[in-house]
Amino acid sequence: MTSASLPAIDDVAVALGDRSYVVRVGRGLLGRAGAEIAPLLRRKRVTVVTEETVAALHLETLRAGLAAAGITLEALVLPPGEGTKSWPQLERTVEWLIARKVERGDIVVALGGGVIGDLVGFAAAILRRGVRFVQVPTSLLAQVDSSVGGKTGINSPQGKNLIGAFHQPSLVLADIDVLDTLPGRDFLAGYGEVVKYGLLGDARFFEWLEANGPRLAAGDRSLRQEAVRHAVRMKADIVERDETEQGDRALLNLGHTFGHALEAATGYSDRLLHGEGVAIGCLLAFDLSARLGLCSQEAPARVAAHLQAMGMKRSLADIPGDLPGRDGLIDLMAQDKKVRDGRLRFILARAIGDSFVTSDVPRAVLADLLDEALKGR
Ligand code: GLY
């Protein structure tokens, strides 16, 4: 297909007053990045921060896309993987940007998945007390979640995402074509975040995913575009209501209390990808909701059936290697950023598409749930 016949780009506006921006979702965006970014620039150069795997696949397309609008780029290529969201790589990135004399009027481009988006966004937030940045998310997870909404940061040796800032991007370019290059496992991990949106607030979207998920995963680009657009619209609505997570934004953490604990328990290694932990965590959250009599037994059964139909990890039995016991897992949950006054907070559900935040989970019920989940291993 030539670029002239590519389908229309979907624009999702994130309305946050003077921090408003647009998330553009569609095909061929990398190749026309110059035209997209040029209106933001005072001088025709950008700095790009990316990682090795993504650079090999997409940096030249971005370079050509920028060159078409007369924009030059200098790139910093970091190592891939969660370990990059760390103090040493943050220091390296910030010092590199300072050495490139990046000014407040310039644009820093984050080209990569969630790790790069979070790290580069944070570097942009603290460089000269804030420079503008553009997110070019290359994973499904980053397109539907982490590139939108301005959460930026790095991990502490003591826990995930514990150091960071809210810093909204000036533009997000979610190019659907780049999803073609994702390994199947990474795509499905990102799909865990897509399912999360249906589960937390839109039963009809979940139904749509039940009907279209397998074709979407098999490569249908129009379905991918529709899923990304819909998820981003949902996220934008929530972020517009609650930019700094004083209330509703916590709903986006459905599945994350369990998921983060499981990621910590597996050492943030490739034993469990973030989106896999989220999918398993969503199902545990529905199981917990059913145990507490908040939702019907059918709800978790339906979530499990969809994850199974998609070939996704869905239980603790799907995580290779040892896991801590239930008390160890509960201790890991206590590091969650949602903990208030030492009490764990969960996103639970009254039904598919109807979630809420609560601290009201008796430890005994949680312990029983985890005992049973661990028994299945
Ligand atoms: N990923 C959750 C949020 O952006 O609030």
Side-chain angles (χ1 to χ4, degrees):
M1 205 187 256
T2 63
S3 58
S5 60
L6 288 177
I9 305 289
D10 290 310
D11 281 338
V12 180
V14 187
L16 292 169
D18 59 5
R19 294 176 310 291
S20 297
Y21 55 96
V22 171
V23 182
R24 308 211 76 201
V25 183
R27 300 190 51 202
L29 283 166
L30 229 57
R32 52 193 251 198
E36 301 289 340
I37 294 175
L40 299 173
L41 296 179
R42 291 202 193 137
R43 48 180 173 171
K44 290 201 156 193
R45 49 162 272 201
V46 293
T47 42
V48 176
V49 183
T50 185
E51 48 97 330
E52 286 157 18
T53 315
V54 170
L57 292 165
H58 304 301
L59 187 56
E60 283 319 307
T61 315
L62 179 64
R63 192 188 299 276
L66 291 167
I71 301 165
T72 57
L73 77 75
E74 278 189 279
L76 172 65
V77 182
L78 299 174
E82 188 74 27
T84 293
K85 263 175 70 168
S86 61
W87 287 115
Q89 297 298 343
L90 176 71
E91 180 179 6
R92 180 175 167 193
T93 302
V94 171
E95 293 298 335
W96 182 83
L97 291 169
I98 294 171
R100 299 280 144 338
K101 303 198 167 46
V102 171
E103 299 173 0
R104 276 188 151 176
D106 291 328
I107 289 281
V108 180
V109 175
L111 172 70
V115 166
I116 287 295
D118 285 7
L119 170 85
V120 178
F122 188 39
I126 58 177
L127 178 64
R128 302 188 200 282
R129 298 204 180 89
V131 301
R132 296 172 306 154
F133 77 115
V134 169
Q135 291 270 21
V136 184
T138 56
S139 68
L140 180 58
L141 184 141
Q143 293 194 352
V144 298
D145 191 52
S146 58
S147 69
V148 181
K151 276 192 183 173
T152 71
I154 57 171
N155 301 327
S156 150
Q158 301 184 68
K160 208 172 145 79
N161 293 335
L162 292 180
I163 305 135
F166 286 99
H167 185 49
Q168 299 292 345
S170 299
L171 173 71
V172 181
L173 298 176
D175 186 335
I176 295 301
D177 287 337
V178 306
L179 301 177
D180 290 353
T181 61
L182 285 180
R185 185 179 174 197
D186 289 328
F187 186 90
L188 284 184
Y191 185 81
E193 295 275 4
V194 178
V195 173
K196 177 194 82 174
Y197 284 98
L199 296 178
L200 76 88
D202 191 340
R204 284 181 56 192
F205 184 49
F206 183 74
E207 261 170 52
W208 185 89
L209 292 170
E210 286 178 313
N212 295 297
R215 270 196 299 146
L216 182 161
D220 186 312
R221 296 198 186 102
S222 320
L223 293 175
R224 288 178 171 191
Q225 182 164 336
E226 177 51 20
V228 173
R229 185 201 65 76
H230 192 94
V232 170
R233 184 64 263 162
M234 283 187 71
K235 177 149 190 182
D237 287 342
I238 292 175
V239 169
E240 285 169 1
R241 288 204 298 276
D242 179 21
E243 184 179 3
T244 57
E245 200 167 311
Q246 307 303 310
D248 271 9
R249 185 163 179 168
L251 298 177
L252 293 168
N253 288 319
L254 175 64
H256 285 61
T257 309
F258 291 108
H260 281 162
L262 293 170
E263 276 185 275
T266 48
Y268 305 102
S269 67
D270 71 355
R271 282 172 61 201
L272 187 73
L273 304 179
H274 173 69
E276 293 172 337
V278 169
I280 294 171
C282 283
L283 181 51
L284 285 169
F286 270 80
D287 278 335
L288 184 55
S289 304
R291 270 172 193 262
L292 292 167
L294 295 164
C295 72
S296 69
Q297 293 291 345
E298 284 74 45
R302 200 171 148 199
V303 178
H306 184 52
L307 300 184
Q308 182 169 23
M310 295 298 293
M312 294 164 72
K313 287 189 171 48
R314 61 186 193 287
S315 73
L316 302 193
D318 297 326
I319 303 173
D322 292 336
L323 285 181
R326 69 148 199 239
D327 292 333
L329 286 176
I330 294 175
D331 281 350
L332 288 171
M333 286 181 198
Q335 266 299 349
D336 193 89
K337 285 191 301 313
K338 294 187 297 305
V339 170
R340 275 224 191 122
D341 306 327
R343 298 191 69 188
L344 288 176
R345 288 204 304 155
F346 287 89
I347 319 304
L348 297 181
R350 297 180 197 93
I352 286 174
D354 183 5
S355 64
F356 63 100
V357 187
T358 180
S359 299
D360 217 5
V361 174
R363 190 181 164 106
V365 181
L366 177 63
D368 282 353
L369 171 82
L370 291 173
D371 275 341
E372 200 147 305
L374 286 161
K375 231 189 281 158
R377 282 172 55 81

